[in-house]
Structure formats: C-alpha cells, structure tokens
Amino acid sequence: MACQLNLGGCWKLTTLSGEKNNPINANVPGSVLDTWIKAGIVPDPYYGENEKLITSLFDSDFEYSRTFSVSGDLLSEDCVELVCLGIDTLGEIFINDKSIACVNNMHRFWRFNVKELLKAGENTIRIVLFSPNAYIKKAYSEGPVEYINTGTMAGSNYLRKTHCQFGWDWGPMLPDAGIWRNIYLEGWSIARLGDVYVTQEHAGGKVTLRTRVQAETADLKRFWAEGRTLKAALRIKPPNAAEITTAEIISEVTAAAELCCTIEKPDLWWPNGLGSQTLYNVEVELLDAGSGKPLDCWERRIGLRTMTISNENDQWGREFALTVNGIKIFSMGADYIPEDAVFPRINAERTKKLLENCVKANFNSIRVWGGGYYPDDYFYDICDELGLVVWQDFMFACNIYHLTEDFAANVAEEIRQNMVRIRHHACIGLWCGNNEMEEAWMVWDNVKNHSPALKADYIKLFEALIPEVCKKTDPQAFYWASSPSSGGGFDKPNDPDRGDVHYWEVWHGLKPFSEYRRHFFRYCSEFGFQSLPDLETIQSFVSQSSSAKPEDLNLFSPVMECHQRNPGGNGKILYYLAETYRYPKDFASLVYISQILQMESIQSGVDHWRRHRGRCMGAVYWQLNDCWPVTSWASIDYYGRWKALHYGARRFFAAIRATVFIDETEAAPPGSLAGPLKRTVRVFVHNDSMKAAAGKLKVYLRDSDFTVLAEETLDVKLPALAALEVLVRDYRKLINTVELERSCFVTAEMQNSTAAISKEQVSAETVLFVPPKYFSFKSPEYKTEVSEQNDHFAINVKANTFCRFVRLKIAEEDVIFSDNYFDIVDEDGVRILVSKAELKKSYTAQTLKAALTVFCVGESY
C-alpha cells in the first residue's frame, strides 16, 4: 500500500520584492494573505476600504520553503512522488535546490516523481510563486482580448485561477497566492489503481453496478519479468445489509477490467424532500494475485439513482427538467460562490452549516458557479447526505478565452481531474461548460466586437474539447455547454422556450416585480435582487468599536460604496424602494426594507414559475452566499446571518403551499388615485412532493383591524408533483373605494390535512391591493409571550393591527427562528419557535422576552 509523508504544517514565507522580505512562519495549507492577516502584517481586508491597500501587494513574488526528513522506508518504494493538491497559481518547485517543475493552474493537482532527488535524512523544498498581478497585466497587454468583466482586473481570463479573486460585482480584488490544498510525498511499489469508474444500470427494480478498474505499474518491464498478475476485489456495503463481494483477475495491466454486481432491492437516492438519501460504500482493492498482498485501495460512497436533464420537445418548445429516477423534478435552490475571499478560512464545518441552511429553506438544488473554484470533497459529501443536486459549472465565467495549445491541454487536464475526483457523487446533476459566455458572444457589445477567431475558440473549447473530455471521463452524465443556453451553437442562448435562462430585467433593467409573470422560462438558473446585509454585519466593516460613525451609515458613504460592487447598485435599491415603500425613517429601517424588497422580488419569480410547473421546471436564484461582508444578492450574508430572503425561501420553496396574487390585466377605472384598482385575486395550490395530498384552503378578505369582510373554505386535492389554480375571486363589489383599497388585504391559508393540525404547518400568503407605500398601516401595539419547552422557546406574537413582514431579533444573538419576516393577519397572532441550541447565552422565558425586539413595515417610516 502507498505510504505518505505529509509536508503540511509550518513553512517559511518570504516576499521576494517590496518591503516585506523577512521570512515569517506560514501554515500550509494556507495562503499569503491569510498568513499576513494572522501575523498582523496587513489590516483586516474587509474593514473599511482596506482592500485597496492590499490588492497591489500581489505585484510581488513569494517563496514558501521548509525542510523535511525522509526515511529509508519511503525511499525503498519503487516510486516516490511529490503530490500537490492545490498551488495558487504560478510557481516553480525546487527539491534540494533542483527545479523539478513549473505549475500554472490553481484548479488542478500535480504529481512529480522525485525519488532520484531525495536523500535519507534532511531535505529541502521551495516553491516560488510568481505575481498573479504581473502575469495578467503582461498577458492583457500582449494578448488579443480587450474585454474586461465588470468589477474585475484586466487579464484574469489568461490565468487558470479563481476569477473572482480578481474582483467581481459582489467581491473584492484580493488575488491571493499560496499552497492552498494539501501537499505530501507518496511512495508506492509494484502497481496502484490508476482509474476506477462506477456506472449504474437500473432495470426491473434492480441496479447493476459496473466498475471499470485500471491499474498502472511502477516498472512495467520488471512487472512482466517477475511474472506478476493483479487481482481487483469489489466490495459493496449496502446500509443495513450483508456485504456484496466480487473479484476478477486483471490479466493485462494496461487494460481496464470490469467488475459487476447486482443489487436486488436497491434503496434509491433522492433529492431533498422527495425520498431518502441512502448511500452505499463501494470499495475496490488491488492485490498482487500471487501473494495476495494489498497494493492499493479506492473507497467511495455512491447513491443509487439515475440523473439527467430531459430535453424533450413539447407544446411550448423544448423542456429543461432535472430527471431523477425517471421523475421530473422542479429544481429549487440558489447559486453558490466561494464562502470567503480568503480561502483558508473555508472549512467543512462552515460549509456544512451553509448547506444545512439550504435544506432548512427547502432547497433541492445548488449551482456551483463557474467564476469560483471546484469545492473540496467534503462539499459534495455533504450534498450527497442532504439531497442537494449540484449543477456543476466548470471554472469559466464572463470572460473570453484565447485557446492556445498549452491552454487547451491545461484546461483539459483540469477538467478531467476534477471530474474523476467528484463524478461518483450522487449529488452531481450535470456538468456545465461556463457561465454566460455563449450569451455574451451574442448580445454583449464589449464581447461581440472581438475577432471571429476568438469566437471560434469558444466553440472549440466548450462544444468540442470539453464535451469530448466529459464523454471519455463520465459518459453517463449530462453536459450543457453554457448557462444560459438553448443547446449551443449560438442559437438564441437565452431563449425562454428552450434550455435555461438568466433573467436580469428585474434589477438591472429596473422592471417591476410583476414583470416575472410575463415570462414562462423552462428553467431560470439566475435571477436576483440586492439587499443590504444585517446592521450587525455592516457595523463589522464600518466600525471597530461598538458603534459606527453616523457619517459612515449612509448608503453613499465611501465605506458603504466600497462594499457595494455592482455599479449603481445602491441607486437601484433606492429606485425600487421609491416604487414600493415609503422612505425609511433611519438607516436601520433602510436595511430592513432593502431585505423585504429582495424577498418580495425573488418570491414573485418563484411563485409564478411554480404555478406553471411542467412548462417551468427550475427556479435557482442568484445568490446563496457572500465571500465578504457586502451589499449583494445573497440570501445568507458573510457571517451566516439569514436575510429576509432566506426565510422567504423556506416558505416559497415549501413542497406543499398556496400562492396568491392580484391579476394585473384589468383596466384602470376612472378616478383611481393609486393606479388601476386590481381586485381580482387568483389562488394556486402546489404539491412538489412524491405523494398526493389533501387539505383545506381558506381565503380571507380583511381590513387592517382584522375585520373579516369575506371568507371561503375549499377542500382541495393536490396530486403529486403538480400545481393547480383553485380559486379566482373578484372583490370589486366589496373593495369599491380608495380607502378600502388602501386598508384591505387577502390571505390564502393552506392546511395539509395529511399532517397533524398545528399553526406551524399552515402555508399563509398575503397580498395587498396597492403598493405598500399607499397602504394605510397603523402603528402596532404588540403583545409577546415566551414559554420554555424542553429544547426550545416558543414565542407568541400578537398585535392590534395588521402587521406586514414582522421581524424578530434577539439582542446579541444570531439565531434562526422557525419563521421570520412573517405577517400578523388576525387576533391569534403567530407562534414562533427558537431552539436553545441556537442561543449563545442561557435564558429564562422572562430574560428572552426582555431581549426580544419586534419590528414591521408600519414602523419603518
């Protein structure tokens, strides 16, 4: 079996130019910036405008170095390789002062045979990292591409490094460097596993696993001369069942052998909300057939499932539907970016919490965006366990790529390596070539003006080279050339009737939220709306004391604009605020209203597309998370705090629910002061679970004093995986004055009768007849009661008037409530739970009540 010598731990880091040229201790895996921050050499890059002081520091070169001791046992192996799982990015590696290789791709690993350079006892290793800034500056000045993506540094397209490290319209310009993943020496003898690929055949209620095994030898001539043969053993370990074992002799070392086994009663893997996430252990062991000595072992977890994208023609065009085990799934989720601009801060615990928060919000999908990086193995392990289907972009985004011979070979190996690393995961839904580059060549003026040769390079890379690698490496998987796309070939890549769409007219185009209802996209993989993060997050970058300077808490202050990377973004927030809400009374209220706007915007799109399930089969919003504290499109901010949008997602991604909206097709009646009196209400019920359900739908027309003006109850049956319109009601006879229009609202409550009757299981949605700025909100008086119940507290909130988007907060706590940003629509109020495990302090019911604050739209101005 292979033996390893870990080279991680304490290294020396030297800056090779500039003032910081004394070696300092640096941890590996790690990065230059992370090391500088911990050593106090640079200030916090996220505070104030400090980022501007740091970007140019990466004009320098750097050197990592250390000594290590090699044993005679390691040197006795047939091969000893240096394995670098991640070097960021441009570097030259020296062993005992002899150059062994140059590297140029952050996204791939490197293996070098170094046995002849090693000696028993003490050895040295140095890795010189060259300036990413200098490289891209030179490449841009000499290369054929003039395009610079919004918010990024010129020339980043020439370097295989995380694009958003050079800035984005939500991220800082911190082009770090370092040894960012594990590095070690690995010794092995005779033979090892070169490739193991498991495919599945589902038929007749059984699953046949075909495992292709390929070995490689340390010395092929000696292997044959010694008359050796190899044996591979396959072991399948089902959950709660006997182990299945099969074996086959590998007679030709260079050829692949296939080991097969059939699972008679498979427990299938399903996305979140549709079934279990059962995982089977698969182990392949390579042995010397003569002696029986184990030589190598490959062990992974797989889920038994089929997964593809259905592209069938239908009456609307051509569908784009995730299909799991033959069932077409409505994809619900968000787009994932790196969790930190300082990569060493990303870890399994942090990622697990983020992904668990996706499941808490009823996600079944997540898109790994192409301007970031290929996440660590634990990311995909967690997605397997949680049932999150991964749309996996390759790391190309919003750029033009000049396809030289060296670039093509480099990215082909990058893609092959990462596919081999993660292709076995149950969660992998599809491979996607790039983010927005096909569309860019068609409609972005600053891309279209480039040469036909560069446009041809796009086709060569994303519709020839990469799909060929995919076909060889993971032939059972679905490949999609770009997002958005209708299928490639520059054929209307953002076509609403085919493929996936990125829709940005709401936000960038300043269209109203109702604009979503004009479009029936087959699958919307990007749409978004910005909001400010919580005030506590803002204070982390505007003040290092307990309170911020008043002049900094201004949407257009230098600090706030530094932490807003979308040009004109803060102005867009104010534009939509002016269209919808009254001007907030203070900065804290502005933060709150911005989050309400974001939640309402995204819900408008999701609700509409879910109403048209079958035609529309995916709503994946931009974006899930942040890489630093910033005003952005994220629903969870840098510190893990849920914005209003994430609470909204928990509701609007729920499998069983009702949606309601005001039909906007009516003409404006004479004399209306607030525009058309739109009083026709339409109600849909939704069931995105695998089982039929039944329930009661209650629809109320109330005024702000909770007086019921009209009500009705319907018994509804919800087929599995369906959406139905169940009620259309015209309230013109009841809402016949401007005063009533401005004081009345409709609530649709859905109770799933298959569940136990409890307030938490009611889906409730409210609509107003006028924009909230015209609604006559009254100043509320709250009555809160807190009770302690085993592992949680129950909070009962009541009010004397209709309260829109009630927000609960507990001072000095970052908790996730069972619901938040909810409506109080009747005298009964709302019951909210908070787990004791969420709380940093110990509380009694009384002390928790004292720390609780309640706020709503009616108090924001």
Side-chain angles (χ1 to χ4, degrees):
M1 301 288 282
C3 60
Q4 291 185 0
L5 174 63
N6 181 21
L7 296 181
C10 187
W11 290 53
K12 293 294 184 181
L13 170 63
T14 306
T15 303
L16 299 181
S17 55
E19 298 178 1
K20 300 178 177 64
N21 52 14
N22 293 322
I24 60 174
N25 291 335
N27 193 59
V28 171
S31 77
V32 172
L33 181 54
D34 188 52
T35 301
W36 283 347
I37 294 169
K38 290 175 178 175
I41 293 172
V42 298
D44 177 3
Y46 300 163
Y47 176 71
E49 300 176 72
N50 286 345
E51 171 218 356
K52 298 175 183 178
L53 306 174
I54 294 171
T55 306
S56 62
L57 298 179
F58 291 95
D59 293 346
S60 300
D61 299 335
F62 311 95
E63 180 184 271
Y64 279 84
S65 62
R66 67 161 293 172
T67 61
F68 60 95
S69 182
V70 175
S71 68
D73 287 343
L74 181 61
L75 290 176
S76 69
E77 298 284 355
D78 292 345
C79 291
V80 181
E81 296 174 327
L82 175 67
V83 183
C84 310
L85 296 186
I87 295 180
D88 181 10
T89 291
L90 297 162
E92 186 172 6
I93 304 171
F94 299 84
I95 297 286
N96 293 327
D97 292 325
K98 293 184 179 179
S99 176
I100 64 166
C102 292
V103 297
N104 60 355
N105 191 328
M106 175 184 181
H107 299 303
R108 55 179 286 195
F109 66 80
W110 306 89
R111 280 183 177 269
F112 309 105
N113 194 336
V114 295
K115 181 176 180 179
E116 299 305 316
L117 299 176
L118 298 172
K119 58 187 179 182
E122 187 173 278
N123 294 259
T124 63
I125 181 171
R126 291 189 297 119
I127 300 179
V128 177
L129 299 176
F130 303 109
S131 166
N133 292 1
Y135 180 89
I136 65 170
K137 182 178 181 180
K138 183 174 186 291
Y140 183 77
S141 66
E142 297 176 354
V145 179
E146 298 178 0
Y147 169 75
I148 305 171
N149 185 43
T150 301
T152 68
M153 299 167 67
S156 61
N157 52 307
Y158 290 101
L159 189 58
R160 293 310 297 153
K161 175 176 171 64
T162 295
H163 285 338
C164 64
Q165 289 185 326
F166 294 104
W168 214 261
D169 59 2
W170 39 257
M173 293 180 179
L174 297 172
D176 206 352
I179 306 170
W180 73 290
R181 280 179 169 157
N182 290 335
I183 181 170
Y184 54 89
L185 291 172
E186 183 172 83
W188 59 282
S189 297
I190 304 174
R192 68 179 175 188
L193 291 166
D195 188 35
V196 178
Y197 180 51
V198 181
T199 59
Q200 304 180 23
E201 295 177 6
H202 292 241
K206 303 176 183 179
V207 177
T208 299
L209 296 180
R210 299 188 182 277
T211 305
R212 185 187 69 198
V213 180
Q214 190 163 5
E216 58 182 279
T217 60
D219 185 333
L220 185 60
K221 290 183 179 179
R222 195 178 86 190
F223 183 89
W224 289 122
E226 293 173 353
R228 294 182 182 273
T229 57
L230 299 173
K231 182 172 71 173
L234 170 66
R235 300 183 185 92
I236 310 295
K237 299 178 181 177
N240 305 317
E243 181 177 306
I244 304 170
T245 304
T246 185
E248 183 169 321
I249 297 293
I250 301 178
S251 56
E252 295 184 22
V253 179
T254 56
E258 184 174 84
L259 285 70
C260 299
C261 74
T262 298
I263 298 174
E264 298 289 338
K265 296 180 179 179
D267 191 354
L268 299 183
W269 185 94
W270 290 94
N272 177 44
L274 298 168
S276 67
Q277 289 79 49
T278 302
L279 298 171
Y280 289 66
N281 287 323
V282 179
E283 180 184 301
V284 175
E285 188 176 34
L286 184 70
L287 306 101
D288 184 315
S291 66
K293 177 184 176 181
L295 301 175
D296 201 0
C297 187
W298 179 96
E299 187 171 0
R300 302 289 189 274
R301 294 186 306 170
I302 68 168
L304 304 182
R305 90 292 186 268
T306 62
M307 183 101 74
T308 191
I309 298 292
S310 174
N311 263 164
E312 297 176 4
N313 292 326
D314 58 21
Q315 66 266 43
W316 300 292
R318 191 165 66 244
E319 72 176 356
F320 193 92
L322 174 69
T323 305
V324 184
N325 301 325
I327 302 296
K328 293 176 183 177
I329 307 301
F330 191 102
S331 298
M332 298 183 284
D335 298 284
Y336 170 88
I337 67 169
E339 295 164 55
D340 209 302
V342 184
F343 275 25
R345 296 175 175 175
I346 305 171
N347 56 57
E349 180 181 3
R350 183 174 175 181
T351 298
K352 184 176 182 180
K353 183 176 180 180
L354 178 66
L355 296 176
E356 286 176 340
N357 283 338
C358 293
V359 171
K360 289 177 181 178
N362 295 307
F363 285 31
N364 60 28
S365 300
I366 190 167
R367 175 176 171 241
V368 177
W369 169 74
Y373 76 117
Y374 303 96
D376 287 272
D377 293 343
Y378 58 73
F379 176 93
Y380 302 97
D381 287 335
I382 297 165
C383 288
D384 286 345
E385 294 163 2
L386 297 178
L388 291 170
V389 175
V390 175
W391 172 312
Q392 179 66 57
D393 280 3
F394 294 121
M395 293 301 115
F396 304 89
C398 301
N399 266 307
I400 298 173
Y401 302 96
H402 181 38
L403 193 64
T404 65
E405 185 175 340
D406 288 343
F407 187 88
N410 195 6
V411 298
E413 181 60 15
E414 166 197 322
I415 289 163
R416 187 199 68 81
Q417 286 183 6
N418 282 286
M419 291 186 75
V420 168
R421 177 170 69 91
I422 62 179
R423 66 189 174 188
H424 66 278
H425 284 280
C427 64
I428 298 296
L430 75 155
W431 306 101
C432 181
N434 70 81
N435 177 76
E436 295 188 341
M437 284 318 304
E438 184 184 10
E439 180 190 26
W441 275 108
M442 298 300 294
V443 300
W444 296 4
D445 289 338
N446 50 1
V447 171
K448 290 191 301 179
N449 61 8
H450 285 74
S451 70
L454 287 171
K455 189 173 184 180
D457 281 349
Y458 173 91
I459 294 292
K460 293 174 186 176
L461 179 57
F462 297 109
E463 299 191 20
L465 188 153
I466 293 178
E468 184 61 27
V469 175
C470 291
K471 185 177 180 180
K472 292 178 179 178
T473 310
D474 195 13
Q476 283 198 324
F478 183 89
Y479 173 74
W480 194 241
S482 184
S483 179
S485 181
S486 65
F490 302 120
D491 179 16
K492 297 180 181 178
N494 221 16
D495 190 330
D497 298 321
R498 299 173 295 159
D500 74 309
V501 163
H502 292 188
Y503 182 70
W504 284 103
E505 287 303 300
V506 177
W507 182 254
H508 289 304
L510 299 179
K511 297 284 188 176
F513 301 161
S514 60
E515 188 73 11
Y516 286 119
R517 294 200 286 272
R518 296 169 59 89
H519 302 282
F520 301 86
F521 305 131
R522 311 316 302 269
Y523 189 116
C524 196
S525 50
E526 271 195 31
F527 63 109
F529 192 96
Q530 281 198 352
S531 73
L532 282 81
D534 275 5
L535 190 59
E536 293 83 356
T537 296
I538 293 172
Q539 289 172 333
S540 76
F541 62 77
V542 301
S543 176
Q544 292 181 331
S545 61
S546 59
S547 60
K549 298 177 182 178
E551 61 266 28
D552 287 335
L553 294 181
N554 182 298
L555 202 56
F556 300 105
S557 71
V559 173
M560 290 302 298
E561 290 209 330
C562 181
H563 290 256
Q564 162 61 279
R565 293 312 172 90
N566 180 221
N570 288 343
K572 289 184 173 73
I573 291 173
L574 288 187
Y575 169 81
Y576 278 100
L577 189 154
E579 291 293 300
T580 315
Y581 287 94
R582 300 188 192 186
Y583 195 78
K585 64 185 179 183
D586 53 28
F587 188 79
S589 298
L590 173 61
V591 170
Y592 164 81
I593 290 295
S594 78
Q595 292 194 18
I596 297 303
L597 285 165
Q598 181 188 37
M599 176 177 68
E600 289 188 284
S601 172
I602 301 305
Q603 179 164 350
S604 296
V606 173
D607 284 359
H608 169 66
W609 295 319
R610 286 192 67 182
R611 290 181 196 118
H612 296 275
R613 192 192 197 282
R615 185 174 184 178
C616 308
M617 288 301 288
V620 177
Y621 64 78
W622 184 269
Q623 66 206 68
L624 171 63
N625 60 304
D626 283 326
C627 67
W628 72 318
V630 64
T631 298
S632 80
W633 295 273
S635 64
I636 297 178
D637 77 17
Y638 172 74
Y639 293 106
R641 297 182 174 114
W642 285 31
K643 295 184 183 179
L645 171 56
H646 212 73
Y647 282 103
R650 174 183 272 179
R651 295 189 291 265
F652 61 64
F653 282 155
I656 297 176
R657 62 185 293 252
T659 62
V660 56
F661 71 103
I662 306 292
D663 194 317
E664 297 179 348
T665 60
E666 301 174 52
S672 174
L673 300 180
L677 292 173
K678 306 175 182 73
R679 297 169 185 160
T680 300
V681 172
R682 298 174 63 184
V683 183
F684 285 68
V685 292
H686 306 260
N687 181 6
D688 267 289
S689 73
M690 296 281 280
K691 296 181 180 179
K696 290 186 180 295
L697 175 70
K698 297 182 179 181
V699 180
Y700 297 94
L701 173 66
R702 295 185 175 99
D703 67 16
S704 58
D705 292 326
F706 302 140
T707 302
V708 176
L709 306 179
E711 66 177 296
E712 50 194 308
T713 300
L714 287 76
D715 290 319
V716 293
K717 294 184 178 179
L718 295 82
L721 307 173
L724 303 172
E725 185 169 24
V726 293
L727 181 69
V728 178
R729 189 62 67 235
D730 186 347
Y731 289 114
R732 271 179 285 198
K733 291 183 179 180
L734 292 171
I735 308 298
N736 53 20
T737 68
V738 171
E739 288 73 20
L740 285 170
E741 181 186 34
R742 293 177 176 179
S743 62
C744 294
F745 60 94
V746 173
T747 301
E749 297 181 0
M750 181 67 201
Q751 175 65 54
N752 178 9
S753 62
T754 59
I757 301 299
S758 70
K759 194 70 173 176
E760 289 76 45
Q761 291 166 327
V762 173
S763 161
E765 297 292 342
T766 300
V767 290
L768 311 181
F769 294 100
V770 293
K773 65 181 179 179
Y774 296 140
F775 194 88
S776 300
F777 290 108
K778 297 180 179 180
S779 180
E781 294 179 6
Y782 299 111
K783 180 180 180 182
T784 59
E785 296 177 355
V786 179
S787 59
E788 187 172 358
Q789 300 177 359
N790 298 322
D791 60 351
H792 66 273
F793 289 95
I795 303 168
N796 291 281
V797 186
K798 297 181 180 181
N800 64 339
T801 185
F802 169 57
C803 296
R804 187 71 159 151
F805 300 133
V806 176
R807 183 197 65 195
L808 302 182
K809 295 192 83 168
I810 300 172
E812 299 181 359
E813 295 281 0
D814 291 321
V815 300
I816 299 171
F817 296 95
S818 61
D819 197 12
N820 212 350
Y821 301 91
F822 52 83
D823 296 332
I824 296 178
V825 299
D826 58 25
E827 296 90 341
D828 293 336
V830 178
R831 183 171 182 263
I832 303 297
L833 306 180
V834 58
S835 170
K836 292 180 180 179
E838 290 277 344
L839 298 164
K840 291 180 286 188
K841 300 179 183 178
S842 291
Y843 293 89
T844 64
Q846 290 73 24
T847 58
L848 185 67
K849 180 179 178 180
L852 184 70
T853 59
V854 187
F855 191 78
C856 72
V857 169
E859 301 170 90
S860 67
Y861 55 87

